[in-house]
Amino acid sequence: MLEHLIVCRHGETEWNIQRRAQGRADSPLTAAGIAQAQALGRALAARGVEHIVSSTLGRALHTAEIVADITGCTVSVDERLVERAFGELEGQRFEDMALDPMWTAVVRCSDPDATAPGSESLREVAARVMAALESAMALPYRSIAVITHGQSISALMGTLHASGDYSAYRHGNCGYTPLHVREGGLVVDAWNIDPLAVLEAEAATVTNPK
């Protein structure tokens, strides 16, 4: 029976650097993104993760494959974990979109019901991501990692915290949030843990023991 579900964001991409809205479009991982995924793999291995469920988008799958190589886990995919659809905003720079008041709520996640033409609201994203997590919870493992996307995580966390402003829940690349399964629900154990920072802290402890 599942006890721990760890929600992770994919590694840094070229469009992340350029501050572009990726949505359902895709962009390759950078060298830094690959290093982040490797650090995430080591962190998840230490947590005893047994299986990985990934978004079907390339940047998430590449991250999942790197993590799987390190952890020895199997990987399955769930299309419901893909990033928020941005519609006509996809590929545009965030700073350019933010200049238009019409799109500010969409870009900044301040309104969970805001949409652009062809896009999803954060509430819609949260509904499908929650459904994907419910399916993951039925898998025959004790600890599972989910590899998904920034605004998908914001939508999920805003829902779990019953928050009207999802903008508070920004996730760094390869940041991870452990969730504890309790009485059929999900409880947030920690928030947006940086795997590189964890590894650096562990290395410092080994180098400079008390």
Side-chain angles (χ1 to χ4, degrees):
M1 180 178 295
L2 188 69
E3 297 176 1
H4 300 283
L5 195 156
I6 304 173
V7 177
C8 317
R9 188 183 175 197
H10 61 79
E12 179 189 79
T13 69
E14 296 289 348
W15 276 18
N16 287 150
I17 294 175
Q18 297 171 20
R19 298 284 298 149
R20 295 184 184 274
Q22 294 182 104
R24 301 297 176 80
D26 225 336
S27 175
L29 297 186
T30 62
I34 291 171
Q36 290 166 345
Q38 292 168 339
L40 178 62
R42 293 193 290 275
L44 295 182
R47 284 179 168 266
V49 166
E50 300 171 329
H51 183 71
I52 299 164
V53 183
S54 175
S55 155
T56 54
L57 292 174
R59 56 193 184 272
L61 268 176
H62 191 185
T63 301
E65 289 164 356
I66 293 169
V67 170
D69 284 343
I70 294 170
T71 60
C73 291
T74 52
V75 177
S76 61
V77 297
D78 192 322
E79 191 173 10
R80 293 172 294 184
L81 295 171
V82 297
E83 180 58 301
R84 180 185 189 182
F86 279 105
E88 69 176 25
L89 301 182
E90 289 191 4
Q92 295 190 42
R93 294 180 184 273
F94 283 106
E95 54 264 36
D96 294 336
M97 289 186 284
L99 295 174
D100 187 336
M102 288 183 62
W103 309 133
T104 299
V106 175
V107 172
R108 296 180 179 172
C109 301
S110 57
D111 181 352
D113 296 307
T115 60
S119 78
E120 295 174 284
S121 72
L122 286 171
R123 289 194 200 278
E124 292 171 326
V125 175
R128 61 173 169 78
V129 172
M130 285 295 297
L133 296 192
E134 288 172 6
S135 295
M137 289 166 64
L139 295 174
Y141 302 98
R142 293 181 62 187
S143 182
I144 291 176
V146 170
I147 311 292
T148 183
H149 304 268
Q151 294 220 358
S152 292
I153 296 174
S154 294
L156 170 67
M157 292 297 129
T159 298
L160 290 177
H161 287 278
S163 171
D165 182 0
Y166 294 11
S167 63
Y169 303 105
R170 299 287 190 181
H171 231 61
N173 289 112
C174 280
Y176 63 94
T177 291
L179 306 176
H180 185 75
V181 180
R182 184 177 302 160
E183 297 179 353
L186 295 170
V187 179
V188 179
D189 290 338
W191 163 247
N192 190 24
I193 300 171
D194 180 350
L196 286 170
V198 170
L199 292 175
E200 289 170 359
E202 290 174 351
T205 300
V206 172
T207 304
N208 302 297
K210 292 183 180 180

